[in-house]
Amino acid sequence: MLVSATEMLQKAKAGHYAVGQFNINNLEWTKAILLTAQELNSPVILGVSEGAGKYMGGFDVVVGMVNGMLKDLKITVPVALHLDHGTYDGCYKCLEAGFSSIMFDGSHYPIAENVAKTTELVAAAHAKGVSIEAEVGAIGGEEDGVIGMGECADPQECKAIADLGIDFLAAGIGNIHGKYPANWKGLSFETLDAIQALTGDMPLVLHGGTGIPADMIKKAITLGVAKINVNTECQLSFAAATRKYVEEGKDLQGKGYDPRKLLAPGFEAIKATVKEKMELFGSVDKA
Ligand code: 13P
């Protein structure tokens, strides 16, 4: 059964580790992430962007697929199904479809409007036992057409949003979606420290987990980050493994074109990436 992400993230914050949010794109992705979480006895959050939800056929398809896998694959570790960077309308659609967690990304609205919409969505989510993440300060880079500039959040604005009853907070600290450019200045730990000082026990979320060096990840966790989002890195490892299989001509040998064979190396590559991240984040054996 899907669970809200509140309890797993409160435990993570108190225990000084982070739970990974791994975005899903299709059945192979979902199965690879769930099986790895079960093997490592780790809680996990499956992230779904609105674009990926549409690609998979719609939010009802996603909920049906994930619930079916939890049952048939006998997954017993805590799993949350979370809308990533949700719009106002997208949040309501996911609450209706059966997601157990949502993110309302109101970071592009003026702060007063972000506050008003977040307040309303907190009530709607909590009425269904669903957890809710909000965002202050745009995350840099591009994800599914949503482009942010990588600004650092204002700690006072973070406190204002945290006080609305949300369950965890994404705050920009110089992080970027996708690959980091060579001239990236790194995470702003000063900003993170100031945000944690004002938001106390609130679990903080680090978006753009792909390509952040291990020492920065570890330091961010010591400063209150309890959820780390990873998307691009699984896509890169899936693509590299699939490319190798095809370039070696394996799809042309025997029944190598069978999707169960063609997609197997990519599937294994996602599993390896998720395992590496769970070990780095410290969530192994925390289910
Ligand atoms: P990356 O694609 O950089 O890993 O970012 C993922 C993310 O933050 C999803 O919200």
Side-chain angles (χ1 to χ4, degrees), residues 82-271:
H82 180 77
L83 172 65
D84 190 28
H85 293 283
T87 59
Y88 178 82
D89 288 343
C91 284
Y92 278 110
K93 283 188 188 146
C94 286
L95 288 176
E96 184 69 24
F99 275 55
S100 66
S101 188
I102 56 172
M103 172 187 187
F104 172 54
D105 183 352
S107 60
H108 51 284
Y109 290 112
I111 185 75
E113 195 172 353
N114 191 358
V115 166
K117 288 193 159 67
T118 303
T119 306
E120 185 194 313
L121 285 164
V122 165
H126 288 175
K128 287 185 172 255
V130 167
S131 50
I132 176 163
E133 172 180 345
E135 174 170 331
V136 182
I139 313 296
E142 187 269 342
E143 189 171 6
D144 261 346
V146 181
I147 298 172
M149 299 306 289
E151 67 200 52
C152 281
D154 172 355
Q156 294 294 346
E157 285 189 6
C158 289
K159 178 163 171 50
I161 295 284
D163 285 348
L164 302 176
I166 60 161
D167 301 293
F168 31 103
L169 176 75
I173 54 167
N175 37 332
I176 301 176
H177 287 131
K179 291 182 185 173
Y180 284 83
N183 61 351
W184 179 53
K185 292 191 187 71
L187 297 176
S188 169
F189 293 113
E190 241 175 54
T191 308
L192 183 56
D193 204 18
I195 293 168
Q196 177 165 239
L198 289 178
T199 57
D201 290 340
M202 171 72 56
L204 301 174
V205 182
L206 183 62
H207 282 248
T210 296
I212 299 180
D215 58 327
M216 284 195 203
I217 293 279
K218 286 190 174 156
K219 182 151 187 201
I221 293 172
T222 67
L223 292 170
V225 164
K227 171 176 179 277
I228 302 176
N229 294 4
V230 177
N231 183 16
T232 306
E233 205 154 327
C234 289
Q235 299 186 353
L236 291 169
S237 40
F238 177 87
T242 307
R243 167 188 291 273
K244 185 165 177 281
Y245 181 87
V246 173
E247 280 182 352
E248 285 171 356
K250 293 198 174 145
D251 56 321
L252 302 173
Q253 295 164 17
K255 283 199 171 181
Y257 53 80
D258 180 331
R260 286 169 289 184
K261 293 194 170 124
L262 181 66
L263 300 178
F267 171 83
E268 291 300 334
I270 296 171
K271 285 191 76 188

